[in-house]
Amino acid sequence: MTLTSTPSPAVKEPAAHGRKTGRAEFLVGIGGQNISLIGALVLVLALFGILNDNYLSLSNMQVIAEAATITGLLAVVQTVVIICGGLDISVGSQVGVASVVSAMAFTSAGSNALVGMAASLGVGLLVGLLNGLVIVYGRVNPTIATLAGLAAYKGLAQLLSDGRAQGYVLNNDAFIFLGRGKIAGLPVMVWLLVIVAVSVHLLLKYTDIGRNVYAIGGNDTAARLAGISINKYLVAVYALIGVAAAVAGILLTARTGSGQPTSGSEGLELKAITAAALGGCALKGGKGGIGGTLLAVALLGCLENGLTVEGINSFWQNVAQGALLVVAVVIQQRRSGARAVGLPH
């Protein structure tokens, strides 16, 4: 007896399976969180594009990009802080201090932009280090420590400026270039955000420093046993966000033409944290990425601009941001399987 076999339709299944696997791998690479953000962004753009013919114009997209730059800078570095298991809710006030110092130092030095920017960066570094030292060596909860900083740095900015805008920097080419210049058709501010975001992404993804940051946020006990100097890393990430706030303060000064103690900086901490959380950062630490954060920044920027263009009360922007933050945290809790408060496991 001879045995013969006939081709079966099942032979083609591996190819189909391979195509499905390829699509699945592609979707996993993008990330479910990012896919949701892309969908929400497209929906917002389509909605406001229908409501207003000029919303999707190139000039308005540029306005959105410029307005989102300062939030983006803070959100990118806030992402690092959150991944490391920390949180900084004082960044808005830090931006106000940095903005005032940059303008006042610029004026005092005879319209020397380098002196103004250097002074601002120095103050940002010192403020960030102070936050880190209080949290690490004072053993103060990051939320409490930076909440105190939120009030203290806001008061400092108002004391230094007497509560008023300081100086005038738009008679200087360097500040004009930062605030209004373009390179290859894109605002300098946007290029700066791109450079910072790419640098931080590469740091987190491809270096030992980045891996250690994730390890500390994921399990600080295991990280300590592995020989990672947790205290040094925590102080360093708070110093880093202090420098980022200083850069944001300089850009705020360049955009507005003067040092702003509160205008333009109030609420930035909420925007930065909301963007990081929407972008997939676990507020408990150990998880997150720069790509998701940037998508969330774009979503918030487009939403804010759309509400403004439609003449909707600006107070609704705060309502929307707060609601988005709650939604992001609820989704995180659901995905992590955390039990509801007051209910058994």
Side-chain angles (χ1 to χ4, degrees):
M1 178 184 290
T2 58
L3 299 176
T4 59
S5 61
T6 57
S8 169
V11 173
K12 296 182 179 180
E13 285 184 4
H17 176 71
R19 287 194 295 271
K20 290 180 181 178
T21 302
R23 287 196 295 270
E25 288 178 351
F26 175 73
L27 294 175
V28 169
I30 295 176
Q33 186 87 12
N34 290 351
I35 293 173
S36 300
L37 286 172
I38 292 171
L41 180 60
V42 170
L43 183 62
V44 168
L45 289 172
L47 175 62
F48 287 114
I50 293 170
L51 293 174
N52 190 300
D53 293 336
N54 294 322
Y55 179 75
L56 294 176
S57 66
L58 184 61
S59 60
N60 193 53
M61 290 296 104
Q62 182 173 301
V63 169
I64 293 174
E66 289 179 348
T69 298
I70 292 176
T71 300
L73 283 171
L74 296 177
V76 163
V77 186
Q78 185 79 259
T79 297
V80 180
V81 176
I82 293 174
I83 290 172
C84 202
L87 187 69
D88 193 339
I89 57 177
S90 67
V91 288
S93 296
Q94 292 181 48
V95 171
V97 173
S99 177
V100 168
V101 168
S102 67
M104 293 179 71
F106 167 79
T107 303
S108 299
S111 298
N112 189 316
L114 184 60
V115 171
M117 294 178 190
S120 182
L121 291 171
V123 168
L125 178 61
L126 287 175
V127 168
L129 283 172
L130 178 60
N131 280 346
L133 292 172
V134 168
I135 290 166
V136 171
Y137 296 105
R139 300 183 181 181
V140 180
N141 180 280
T143 302
I144 301 300
T146 56
L147 179 63
L150 173 70
Y153 303 142
K154 180 178 180 180
L156 178 60
Q158 291 172 327
L159 285 171
L160 289 173
S161 64
D162 199 24
R164 299 191 298 267
Q166 293 293 310
Y168 181 75
V169 301
L170 293 183
N171 55 357
N172 179 270
D173 290 339
F175 275 105
I176 293 172
F177 178 69
L178 277 178
R180 304 183 181 184
K182 292 183 180 180
I183 298 175
L186 283 178
V188 172
M189 295 174 64
V190 175
W191 281 112
L192 186 58
L193 173 58
V194 170
I195 292 169
V196 171
V198 169
S199 299
V200 174
H201 171 74
L202 294 176
L203 178 74
L204 288 175
K205 194 170 179 65
Y206 298 107
T207 70
D208 289 338
I209 292 174
R211 286 185 282 272
N212 290 344
V213 166
Y214 279 103
I216 292 169
N219 189 326
D220 59 347
T221 301
R224 186 177 290 106
L225 293 174
I228 299 173
S229 180
I230 296 176
N231 289 351
K232 290 181 180 178
Y233 270 88
L234 286 174
V235 172
V237 296
Y238 280 101
L240 179 64
I241 200 167
V243 172
V247 174
I250 292 169
L251 293 179
L252 177 61
T253 301
R255 282 195 74 202
T256 60
S258 58
Q260 302 291 332
T262 55
S263 178
S265 60
E266 277 191 318
L268 285 175
E269 58 283 329
L270 175 61
K271 291 181 181 179
I273 294 170
T274 300
L278 278 175
C281 276
L283 295 181
K284 294 180 180 179
K287 181 183 177 183
I290 302 304
T293 296
L294 288 179
L295 281 172
V297 168
L299 174 60
L300 291 173
C302 291
L303 179 61
E304 182 177 345
N305 179 268
L307 293 173
T308 301
V309 167
E310 289 303 305
I312 297 173
N313 192 314
S314 61
F315 296 147
W316 281 107
Q317 295 174 15
N318 292 332
V319 173
Q321 289 172 28
L324 287 172
L325 180 56
V326 171
V327 168
V329 175
V330 167
I331 291 172
Q332 285 182 19
Q333 293 297 92
R334 290 289 185 179
R335 286 180 173 176
S336 68
R339 70 180 179 87
V341 176
L343 295 180
H345 288 283

